[in-house]
Amino acid sequence: AVVSFLQSFSCSWVFLWEKGYQETDSVVSSVTTKVKGVTLTNTSTLGARIWDVADYVIPPQEENTVFVMTNVILTLNQRQGRCPELPDDKTECKVKKNCVPGYVSTHSNGIQTGECIPYNSSIKTCEVFAWCPVEDDYHIPKPAFLQEAENFTILVKNNIWYPKFNFSKRNILPTINSTYLKNCIYDSQTDPFCPIFRLGTIVEAAGQNFQEIAVEGGVMALQINWDCNLDRAASHCVPKYSFRRLDNKDSAHTVSPGYNFRFAKYYMDSNGTESRTLVKAYGIRFDIIVFGKAGKFDVIPTMINIGSGLALFGVATVLCDIVVLYCMKKKYYYREKKYKYVEDYEL
């Protein structure tokens, strides 16, 4: 009975659950994205300002990735010249000899000139030749500068192809029309196939708080799974979306958290002097990860698995005998039932 059970189980596992009768192929994919959303900020430095997709999506296009800026430190009207360095234990000075001409550390904003000049009314620092005034990023804006970014949306267009079966499809399904696409927002219950995602929903579905991650940034994954049984109709091959956070979110590890980078916007002022606005951008990078496998009936894997199953039948008998006759508590009882010992006089 045990042997029969193992044989039945192995056949069911290989042929029904693992679909051992199918040839399989891995997905080939391409992804494009489009972010939409507008927000208004009003600060003493910038005044009232509108931020649209050209301001906060940096760069405009990446491969399988989109970065949305949620927080920012701006250093306006920088020009090349001489100015005091930011104060720290290596740049603060009292006299000129504390500063070394030509010295540059990994955290310097410029090259020291050898002079010690006032940073403010109470502190002196070494003078540097740099883009002045130097950036002060000690204090990150809280709450996030673009906190309304959680209501921005991202359209994900994904095309997939299974080369072995010459089967292709995209996540904008044939049943989706332009009217629906203009109005839908992804919801796992009501709109599971809508390719437009609210940024806040992606973060929340991964178990995170958008306003917290927006301050210092992070990396999120939007996963698209295409597992298709091509023995069924093509309409059954549909994408399944899931979300998770990829960067380290452990509160115990506070060194260099989040995700940020710098870039500059250059221009010439009225005097013909080159100037720039330095931007330190914090934000969320959304990585679109596509994976999947397709299967379709094929004679060769079917015959191979049938042969393997038949061979397994013989192995199962041997294994069951070993377990029953040598490992179980009642092994002597089973051995008596399996073998009959005959005395010489009975022969």
Side-chain angles (χ1 to χ4, degrees), residues 81 224 276 288:
I224 309 177
R276 76 178 189 181
I288 293 89

Side-chain angles (χ1 to χ4, degrees), residues 149-224:
E150 68 176 320
N151 294 316
F152 297 166
T153 60
I154 175 173
L155 167 64
V156 177
K157 294 191 285 187
N158 174 216
N159 293 271
I160 59 108
W161 177 44
Y162 288 106
K164 281 186 181 180
F165 311 122
N166 195 27
F167 178 85
S168 59
K169 200 167 186 179
R170 63 177 188 158
N171 66 327
I172 302 178
L173 303 177
T175 55
I176 294 177
N177 56 41
S178 58
T179 302
Y180 174 78
L181 194 61
K182 288 180 180 179
N183 297 283
C184 76
I185 298 291
Y186 171 85
D187 185 278
S188 60
Q189 301 299 321
T190 60
D191 292 278
F193 302 122
C194 178
I196 300 176
F197 303 85
R198 178 178 168 271
L199 302 190
T201 300
I202 294 175
V203 175
E204 290 162 10
Q208 304 295 308
N209 183 290
F210 187 92
Q211 294 304 327
E212 289 180 2
I213 192 174
V215 173
E216 293 184 299
V219 183
M220 302 295 303
L222 192 161
Q223 299 170 311
I224 309 177

Side-chain angles (χ1 to χ4, degrees), residues 203-265:
V203 175
E204 290 162 10
Q208 304 295 308
N209 183 290
F210 187 92
Q211 294 304 327
E212 289 180 2
I213 192 174
V215 173
E216 293 184 299
V219 183
M220 302 295 303
L222 192 161
Q223 299 170 311
I224 309 177
N225 184 13
W226 290 89
D227 278 342
C228 300
N229 182 357
L230 299 183
D231 290 328
R232 305 174 68 187
S235 59
H236 292 284
C237 181
V238 293
K240 293 182 180 178
Y241 301 100
S242 59
F243 316 94
R244 60 168 298 180
R245 185 171 181 178
L246 296 178
D247 62 318
N248 192 342
K249 56 184 180 298
D250 187 354
S251 59
H253 298 84
T254 58
V255 177
S256 189
Y259 182 66
N260 66 78
F261 58 88
R262 291 176 176 85
F263 66 96
K265 297 180 179 180

Side-chain angles (χ1 to χ4, degrees), residues 27 31 36 107 124 238 289:
V27 69
V31 173
K36 288 188 176 182
H107 301 289
K124 285 186 175 183
V238 293
I289 303 172

Side-chain angles (χ1 to χ4, degrees), residues 91-96 98-99 115-117 123-127:
T91 62
E92 290 187 20
C93 60
K94 294 185 181 297
V95 293
K96 181 177 179 178
N98 297 140
C99 303
E115 299 294 326
C116 180
I117 61 175
I123 298 175
K124 285 186 175 183
T125 61
C126 293
E127 183 186 60

Side-chain angles (χ1 to χ4, degrees), residues 131-146:
W131 284 95
C132 300
V134 297
E135 178 191 64
D136 182 358
D137 63 347
Y138 286 159
H139 302 289
I140 303 173
K142 292 183 181 180
F145 192 68
L146 299 181

